[in-house]
Amino acid sequence: MTGQVRGVQLARLLGQWHALPGRRRSPDYAALAGTVRGLLADGRLPLGVRLPAERELAEALRISRTTVTAAYRQLRETGHLASRRGAGSWTMLPGNHRVASTGLWTPLDDREMLDLGVAALAAPPQLLTAARAAAEDLPSYLGGAGYHPTGIIELREAVADAYAARGLPTSADQIMVTSGTQHALDLVLRLALAPGGSVLVESPTYPNALAALAGRRARITTHGLAADGWEPDLLLGSLRQTRPKLAYLIPEFQNPTGHLMPAALRERVVAAAHAVGTDLVIDESFVDLPLDGTELPPPVGVYDRHSRVISIGGMSKPYWGGLRIGWVRASAPQVQRLAAVRVGVDMASPVLDQLVAVHLLADADAIVAERRVQLAVQRDALLGALAQRLPDWRVTVPRGGVTLWAELDGPVSSALARAAEEVGVRLAPGPRFGLDGTMERFLRLPFTLPAADLVEAVGRIAAVRYDLDRTGRQRWREPAVIA
Ligand SMILES: Cc1ncc(COP(=O)(O)O)c(C=O)c1O
């Protein structure tokens, strides 16, 4: 049972709710609400499912609609139900309960929600063509078992060629195909970081990277990004002082801030990392997406003489997240070791999806050029709407990537996200990008939705921002995926 529970299903779960032992003389609506709370507490009714409409449940239970209305009201008051007018009511737990602060929780499949929590584009039109062409190619693989722990050779070659085109000569045996960049990070951490190992990350940073690090029980130190990006002396100083086993950095259009690391700092970071014995995990998720003709500095790997740099990247941002194709670029022996780790995890990536990726990469120039135009238009629409509706917020115009990092007019990010959810806008508040609940003055805003949706979303955010000062804090919150 996911997504929605129908009236008859809930009636079955509720069983003898009206004749429960110990009920005494409580009214029907209270008994009904109490039984729903019990089902939630026992895990029998999942969190985040949409309950049946009041009328439907009333019919299924053969009781009056007023009783169901009163029960739902009580569930809302106790924090077990979140309702949005016209959209329905979802189960939740009180006290801002969240399954994971890092957002790894199944999202509500609410198509009316303007989702600014996920920084990823819808698929490009070329995806279907590529999928059809991939199906045509499949027969040449069907004679084998289909397990390719480092990936199919066509895709490894295509990825290696793309690195070479960026000025970093790479052979196919230095590439391992993974099921997305997140998977690449997880595998690299399994290989390169013993449980409890020390890691340096940027702050703010990508929340799911923090989740992967939490999975290794990493001891994390942070380098706080300034309004204009990395502070070279502080970053190098942190590396020298803390001597972490590993540093995880996003040099191209950093998520969430959009900063681009200059070439000189790349060179110095690699040298400092080598001097103190730190491995660098370089997340290149956004490298294909410079906007406004911004020139990219050389890849960090260019400065690497000692196999200190492991680069990870993938198809999700320029192409489509649903493809689940990413990769690791490392030395050939490291790739072999990663493949050995991988057999204990997922064996290999799906062949068909890899073939789709091969076809998309063959058309990379055209597809990526269209994406950049689309993103620049959407970014400008977002900036325009912000300037008009929320002029007190400060934003640095990102020269690439898919997100901007807005500095708000007060420490209201989480409260704003809760309020926005009620008007159909999902946000990723600042604290989701840090470790310690700080960054309440910031909000990440992706420009991956169509321009009209972004303008509409900003209008709604502006309205609830205005209300926030008057009505105080909202009480409930739904868990959501940040990506
Ligand atoms: C910096 C960064 N790394 C990794 C990922 C995950 O990418 P994938 O969908 O390829 O797993 C994202 C997605 O938002 C990201 O922004």
Side-chain angles (χ1 to χ4, degrees):
M1 187 200 304
T2 53
Q4 184 165 10
V5 52
R6 307 216 61 83
V8 282
Q9 291 173 301
L10 185 54
R12 203 171 307 130
L13 276 174
L14 287 164
Q16 300 298 311
W17 63 275
H18 48 276
L20 287 178
R23 179 181 161 185
R24 292 200 214 107
R25 291 195 299 149
S26 59
D28 278 356
Y29 78 85
L32 180 55
T35 311
V36 170
R37 280 196 293 273
L39 288 171
L40 279 168
D42 288 346
R44 295 187 59 211
L45 183 60
L47 292 179
V49 291
R50 193 188 303 230
L51 290 191
E54 292 170 9
R55 185 194 307 270
E56 193 193 341
L57 184 59
E59 277 167 16
L61 294 175
R62 299 196 188 152
I63 57 175
S64 82
R65 183 169 167 188
T66 344
T67 305
V68 179
T69 305
Y72 276 20
R73 186 184 313 122
Q74 191 185 76
L75 287 167
R76 269 192 297 276
E77 284 165 0
T78 55
H80 292 84
L81 207 56
S83 304
R84 200 149 44 78
R85 196 179 295 278
S89 300
W90 292 268
T91 54
M92 58 186 288
L93 285 180
N96 286 346
H97 173 95
R98 280 184 285 157
V99 174
S101 63
T102 41
L104 294 181
W105 204 80
T106 313
L108 305 173
D109 196 8
D110 181 353
R111 289 178 182 275
E112 280 151 42
M113 181 70 78
L114 292 172
D115 193 348
L116 298 190
V118 172
L121 291 160
Q126 293 89 340
L127 197 112
L128 265 186
T129 330
R132 290 197 182 101
E136 299 287 316
D137 290 348
L138 196 56
S140 64
Y141 276 88
L142 296 180
Y147 295 107
H148 303 269
T150 55
I152 62 170
I153 187 64
E154 290 99 319
L155 183 53
R156 298 169 73 200
E157 279 171 353
V159 173
D161 289 350
Y163 274 105
R166 283 171 51 212
L168 185 56
T170 302
S171 59
D173 61 5
Q174 287 179 269
I175 301 295
M176 169 156 138
V177 177
T178 61
S179 299
T181 315
Q182 184 68 21
H183 181 221
L185 175 60
D186 182 71
L187 289 174
V188 168
L189 293 180
R190 285 169 194 256
L191 180 72
L193 188 72
S198 55
V199 179
L200 177 84
V201 301
E202 293 137 342
S203 175
T205 190
Y206 175 55
N208 295 342
L210 293 175
L213 289 168
R216 301 297 293 164
R217 300 200 306 278
R219 284 180 293 117
I220 299 179
T221 50
T222 54
H223 168 67
L225 296 177
D228 57 354
W230 298 263
E231 302 209 61
D233 292 340
L234 292 179
L235 175 57
L236 301 177
S238 297
L239 278 173
R240 292 190 193 108
Q241 278 153 25
T242 56
R243 298 176 162 259
K245 174 71 187 71
L246 200 141
Y248 167 80
L249 302 173
I250 314 169
E252 285 94 13
F253 314 115
Q254 203 259 357
N255 186 359
T257 61
H259 294 308
L260 178 62
M261 187 185 282
L265 182 56
R266 293 171 186 235
E267 184 165 15
R268 292 176 70 195
V269 167
V270 174
H274 178 57
V276 298
T278 296
D279 290 323
L280 292 175
V281 180
I282 301 299
D283 187 329
E284 302 182 319
S285 286
F286 302 97
V287 74
D288 287 326
L289 298 174
L291 306 178
D292 315 323
T294 300
E295 271 208 30
L296 282 178
V300 173
V302 160
Y303 304 104
D304 182 27
R305 313 261 175 278
H306 305 93
S307 299
R308 280 282 163 209
V309 175
I310 298 182
S311 306
I312 60 176
M315 307 284 288
S316 294
K317 302 303 162 174
Y319 301 90
W320 191 42
L323 202 53
R324 306 312 306 139
I325 293 290
W327 48 77
V328 180
R329 179 196 183 275
S331 69
Q334 282 171 321
V335 165
Q336 288 308 313
R337 288 202 289 277
L338 280 167
V341 171
R342 185 196 196 151
V343 293
V345 180
D346 71 335
M347 314 274 280
S349 292
V351 170
L352 185 58
D353 305 36
Q354 293 182 72
L355 288 169
V356 178
V358 170
H359 282 280
L360 287 171
L361 289 179
D363 204 5
D365 289 347
I367 298 175
V368 171
E370 283 167 27
R371 296 305 234 187
R372 290 179 187 165
V373 171
Q374 177 189 357
L375 283 166
V377 168
Q378 290 171 188
R379 176 200 59 187
D380 294 344
L382 176 61
L383 287 167
L386 287 171
Q388 199 188 353
R389 302 298 307 272
L390 290 156
D392 294 338
W393 290 13
R394 283 196 290 184
V395 288
T396 309
V397 179
R399 297 283 166 215
V402 303
T403 59
L404 60 83
W405 185 237
E407 186 178 344
L408 313 184
D409 53 339
V412 294
S413 198
S414 298
L416 192 64
R418 284 192 291 273
E421 192 110 15
E422 277 201 78
V423 293
V425 179
R426 179 170 293 140
L427 295 176
R432 300 297 289 269
F433 300 86
L435 283 172
D436 43 15
T438 56
M439 289 185 280
E440 278 290 3
R441 282 188 313 113
F442 295 90
L443 180 66
R444 183 189 76 173
L445 292 169
F447 35 94
T448 42
L449 291 181
D453 287 353
L454 292 169
V455 172
E456 170 67 25
V458 171
R460 294 189 203 174
I461 295 168
V464 291
R465 172 67 194 99
Y466 181 78
D467 290 346
L468 214 57
D469 290 335
R470 279 145 202 84
T471 57
R473 292 164 64 92
Q474 305 292 324
R475 278 187 301 112
W476 59 271
R477 146 175 221 149
E478 287 169 20
V481 159
I482 307 288

